[in-house]
């Protein structure tokens, strides 16, 4: 296939480009080149999508497939205006942040309620808390359906993406923490559900979708698992035999200002229940039936750990620092023994 990736200079887009090259496809990545470089073997064309006409020259290039990762409504609109009629297959990487109900487990893309589209004066997520992110993706999904019409389009609502080159502090926190071993603060209950997708599996599915002309809207997520299986699986993948998990109740953590999900003083992949019980417990069956394959957790752990070792300066440091974690563990034990 001749594939045009709108992106390709970081994480998922780069993983799609790298795998497409490895599979023998002809790969072009269009981006500014600000976020990074495209993988070896992919063609890089510098483009700034703030220019509405920037992608017009690609219309006559005869691409079989486009993969777009944008979060910006105008960028999607201009890309579709220029290219929707000229390529065989269109994949848009959306997000599970489009959903309005984060409480109910077991939902699928077919039946879950959505946020409203972004207001007309909002073009892209705003500020450090990425306000309007989900709404902008809803708007872009609508544009894809509208402007592609009956031509095949794949809307892939990714869940938490993990693996090598992860620019977030989420999965890498647990790799770093469990590699250090000792007593590890594990948030919530062992049975709490967590869910994610390996970046290489998602890349593989996007290419499979283009090749098979898959059409429709799906969640891009692997099967949910318990947090105990995640943390023991990460430790096992690292060979971290001396890591011991101490489970700490969510109310204790919240009362001590430990944050959820991501960022400074946060415990990644932890969200309060039952408010967020649907976030990491969606039904993966439609994705698996449509061709998503899921590698072993140990493979994801090893790929992430290898990248963290090879490129330490690229790894975002977040979560609890060791002294803070030790103090919380000590206080928890004191409360338990009182
Ligand atoms: N990470 C997760 O856990 C997660 C979860 C759910 C969904 N998602 C979605 O998955 C996708 C991830 O994409 P990604 O990993 O490839 O990273 P990304 O940060 O979304 O990449 C954005 C790409 O667009 C390019 N770009 C940005 N501004 C541009 C401009 N003005 N002109 C041309 N190109 C521009 C960037 O390249 P340059 O800066 O070099 O131009 C980069 O390659 C996103 O859509 C995200 O919403 C992610």
């Amino acid at each position: 296939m001749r594939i045009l990736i709108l992106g390709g200079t970081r994480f998922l887009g780069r993983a799609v480009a790298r795998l497409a090259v490895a599979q023998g496809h002809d790969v072009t990545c269009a981006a500014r080149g600000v976020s990074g470089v495209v993988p070896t073997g992919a063609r890089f064309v510098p483009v700034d999508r703030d220019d509405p006409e920037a992608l017009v020259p690609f219309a006559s290039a005869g691409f079989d497939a486009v993969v777009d990762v944008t979060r910006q409504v105008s960028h999607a609109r201009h890309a579709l205006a220029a290219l929707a009629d000229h390529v065989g297959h269109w994949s848009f990487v959306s997000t599970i942040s489009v959903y309005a109900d984060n409480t109910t487990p077991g939902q699928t893309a077919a039946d879950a309620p959505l946020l409203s589209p972004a207001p007309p004066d909002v073009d892209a997520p705003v500020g450090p808390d990425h306000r309007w992110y989900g709404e902008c993706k809803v708007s872009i999904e609508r544009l894809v359906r509208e402007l592609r019409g009956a031509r095949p389009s794949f809307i892939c609502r990714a869940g938490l993406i993990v693996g090598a080159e992860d620019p977030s502090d989420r999965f890498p926190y647990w790799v770093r923490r469990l590699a250090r071993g000792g007593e590890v603060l594990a948030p919530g209950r062992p049975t709490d559900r967590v869910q994610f997708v390996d970046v290489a599996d998602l890349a593989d599915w996007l290419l499979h979708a283009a090749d098979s002309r898959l059409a429709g809207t799906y969640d891009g997520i692997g099967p949910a698992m318990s947090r105990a299986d995640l943390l023991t699986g990460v430790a096992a993948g690292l060979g971290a035999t001396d890591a011991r998990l101490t489970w700490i109740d969510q109310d204790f953590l919240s009362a001590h200002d430990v944050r959820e999900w991501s960022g400074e003083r946060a415990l990644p992949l932890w969200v309060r229940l039952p408010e967020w019980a649907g976030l990491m417990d969606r039904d993966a069956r439609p994705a698996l039936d449509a061709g998503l394959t899921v590698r072993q957790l140990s493979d994801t752990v090893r790929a992430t750990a290898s990248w963290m070792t090879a490129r330490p300066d690229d790894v975002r440091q977040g979560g609890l620092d060791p002294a803070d974690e030790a103090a919380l563990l000590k206080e928890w034990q004191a409360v338990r023994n009182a």
Side-chain angles (χ1 to χ4, degrees):
M1 287 185 291
R2 299 199 68 216
I3 302 177
L4 174 63
I5 298 171
L6 302 177
T9 55
R10 69 190 308 228
F11 198 33
L12 176 62
R14 238 172 87 81
V16 176
R18 187 186 304 109
L19 186 63
V21 169
Q23 291 180 354
H25 301 299
D26 182 283
V27 182
T28 299
C29 298
R32 295 165 305 176
V34 168
S35 304
V37 294
V38 302
T40 306
R43 186 179 305 108
F44 174 63
V45 181
V47 152
D48 188 341
R49 296 175 71 178
D50 287 348
D51 171 3
E53 304 293 315
L55 296 174
V56 171
F58 293 82
S60 56
F63 286 107
D64 299 301
V66 161
V67 177
D68 190 6
V69 299
T70 193
R71 302 154 204 243
Q72 196 159 339
V73 182
S74 61
H75 286 185
R77 185 182 297 109
H78 299 146
L80 287 154
L83 303 174
D85 293 341
H86 302 280
V87 297
H89 188 267
W90 196 281
S91 291
F92 169 57
V93 180
S94 187
T95 167
I96 59 166
S97 298
V98 295
Y99 292 120
D101 174 0
N102 289 301
T103 306
T104 311
Q107 297 180 76
T108 67
D111 58 20
L114 295 181
L115 297 174
S116 299
D121 59 333
V122 173
D123 186 39
V126 179
D129 60 350
H130 308 289
R131 188 152 180 258
W132 302 114
Y133 170 59
E135 290 86 348
C136 286
K137 289 284 195 180
V138 171
S139 298
I140 298 172
E141 290 188 4
R142 285 191 173 192
L143 283 171
V144 172
R145 290 190 197 97
E146 190 185 314
L147 293 172
R148 286 284 293 171
R151 289 173 293 259
S153 302
F154 173 43
I155 293 174
C156 179
R157 294 175 179 156
L160 177 67
I161 308 171
V162 304
E165 303 188 359
D166 184 348
S168 83
D169 60 357
R170 295 171 294 198
F171 196 77
Y173 171 82
W174 289 112
V175 172
R176 185 166 59 243
R177 179 62 197 90
L178 288 156
R180 209 172 82 235
E183 187 181 14
V184 176
L185 194 170
R189 293 170 308 199
T191 51
D192 293 346
R193 309 293 277 169
V194 295
Q195 191 168 37
F196 49 85
V197 64
D198 184 293
V199 67
D201 290 334
L202 194 55
D204 193 36
W205 193 32
L206 285 161
L207 293 174
H208 169 76
D211 207 22
S212 61
R213 302 279 168 116
L214 177 65
T217 302
Y218 293 85
D219 290 333
I221 42 161
M225 64 175 75
S226 72
R227 188 174 292 113
D229 283 348
L230 169 68
L231 298 183
T232 54
V234 171
L238 295 164
T241 48
D242 71 331
R244 302 180 316 281
L245 303 177
T246 294
W247 294 92
I248 298 194
D249 179 76
Q250 63 174 8
D251 291 334
F252 177 94
L253 295 172
S254 297
H256 289 76
D257 198 28
V258 178
R259 318 249 164 90
E260 299 160 63
W261 192 243
S262 174
E264 203 181 327
R265 210 154 188 270
L267 282 167
L269 277 87
W270 168 56
V271 282
R272 283 190 63 87
L273 304 179
E275 302 92 295
W276 292 94
L279 181 72
M280 289 193 285
D281 199 4
R282 304 188 61 78
D283 184 354
R285 180 45 57 193
L288 299 171
D289 288 346
L292 174 70
T293 58
V294 177
R295 70 197 54 214
Q296 296 288 316
L297 175 57
S298 54
D299 292 339
T300 302
V301 171
R302 279 192 282 271
T304 310
S306 301
W307 161 71
M308 291 169 75
T309 305
R311 306 294 301 257
D313 293 345
D314 293 352
V315 182
R316 199 169 135 203
Q317 309 289 322
L320 281 183
D321 74 42
D324 205 356
E325 185 199 32
L328 285 162
L329 284 164
K330 199 169 161 194
E331 197 173 334
W332 173 250
Q333 294 303 355
V335 169
R336 302 272 290 179
N337 295 335

